[in-house]
């Protein structure tokens, strides 16, 4: 098992409905340590840059509008198999298909407004982390209570 870092975003819908604390509670209780965090209010262009892999898809325009519609909390998480573990805790993209107890089952309202983002592979995690955080902002996990 490898210690990995992954990027998560508590999306504007979950921030607006007051679920930041609930989502963080779930992440922490699943041994994902927060090693960087930043509140952002993305411009449309910044949302498009983040979701560049989805450019051209039918939902791209609506997705990037949603992601730039209000504040979001961006975090880097660290832990054993953090990338896959986060994806598991998040649940399926469409909350209708998400397993009970997952963040999307609990807090998402639609396939678009689905509460949380998580990197899907080591390469995308590296790109996404560097999109928001210069290396100096990442603190050593050993200095955290769960480290
Ligand atoms: P995930 O976030 O689970 O990795 P994707 O990478 O496929 O999902 O899509 C990125 C985001 O785009 C999703 O989290 C969701 O907000 C939105 N999205 C994906 N598919 C659709 C769709 N069919 N209709 C509307 N929005 C979608
Ligand atoms: Mg994805």
């Amino acid at each position: 098992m490898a210690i990995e870092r992954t990027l998560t975003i508590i999306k504007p819908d979950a921030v607006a409905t007051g679920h930041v604390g609930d989502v963080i509670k779930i992440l922490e209780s699943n041994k994902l340590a927060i090693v960087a965090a930043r509140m952002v209010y993305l411009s449309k262009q910044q949302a498009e840059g983040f979701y560049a892999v989805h450019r051209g898809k039918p939902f791209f325009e609506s997705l990037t509008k949603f992601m730039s519609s209000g504040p979001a909390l961006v975090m880097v998480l660290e832990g054993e198999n953090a990338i896959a573990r986060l994806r598991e805790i998040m649940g399926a993209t469409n909350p209708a298909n998400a397993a009970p107890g997952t963040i999307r089952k609990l807090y998402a309202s639609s396939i678009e407004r689905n509460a949380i983002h998580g990197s899907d592979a080591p390469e995308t995690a590296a790109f996404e982390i560097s999109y928001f955080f210069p290396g100096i902002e990442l603190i050593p996990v050993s200095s955290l209570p769960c480290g």
Side-chain angles (χ1 to χ4, degrees):
M1 297 242 270
I3 299 287
E4 292 173 333
R5 283 179 171 172
T6 190
L7 186 101
T8 189
I9 305 177
I10 302 181
K11 294 185 178 183
D13 59 325
V15 173
T17 51
H19 289 304
V20 168
D22 298 316
V23 173
I24 288 178
K25 188 89 204 149
I26 294 173
L27 299 174
E28 286 186 324
S29 59
N30 281 278
K31 296 193 173 173
L32 292 168
I34 301 167
V35 296
R38 189 149 76 89
M39 205 71 183
V40 297
Y41 194 152
L42 298 178
S43 67
K44 178 80 159 51
Q45 209 173 18
Q46 288 168 330
E48 288 173 4
F50 178 74
Y51 276 121
V53 291
H54 293 303
R55 194 178 280 280
K57 294 195 183 150
F59 58 82
F60 183 74
E61 186 58 27
S62 179
L63 169 66
T64 52
K65 210 168 144 187
F66 159 56
M67 289 300 289
S68 55
S69 68
L73 182 62
V74 186
M75 295 180 284
V76 178
L77 305 176
E78 184 170 314
E80 295 243 336
N81 294 327
I83 296 170
R85 187 185 307 195
L86 173 63
R87 298 287 307 189
E88 206 179 308
I89 296 163
M90 284 165 49
T93 306
N94 187 344
N97 304 326
T102 59
I103 292 166
R104 283 169 165 169
K105 190 55 149 192
L106 289 167
Y107 305 120
S109 54
S110 72
I111 190 170
E112 177 179 274
R113 302 172 70 84
N114 61 1
I116 187 165
H117 167 86
S119 309
D120 62 7
E123 307 74 51
T124 46
F127 164 75
E128 291 174 358
I129 290 168
S130 69
Y131 194 79
F132 287 109
F133 298 99
I136 196 164
E137 288 187 17
L138 298 163
I139 59 169
V141 72
S142 56
S143 65
L144 294 165
C146 50

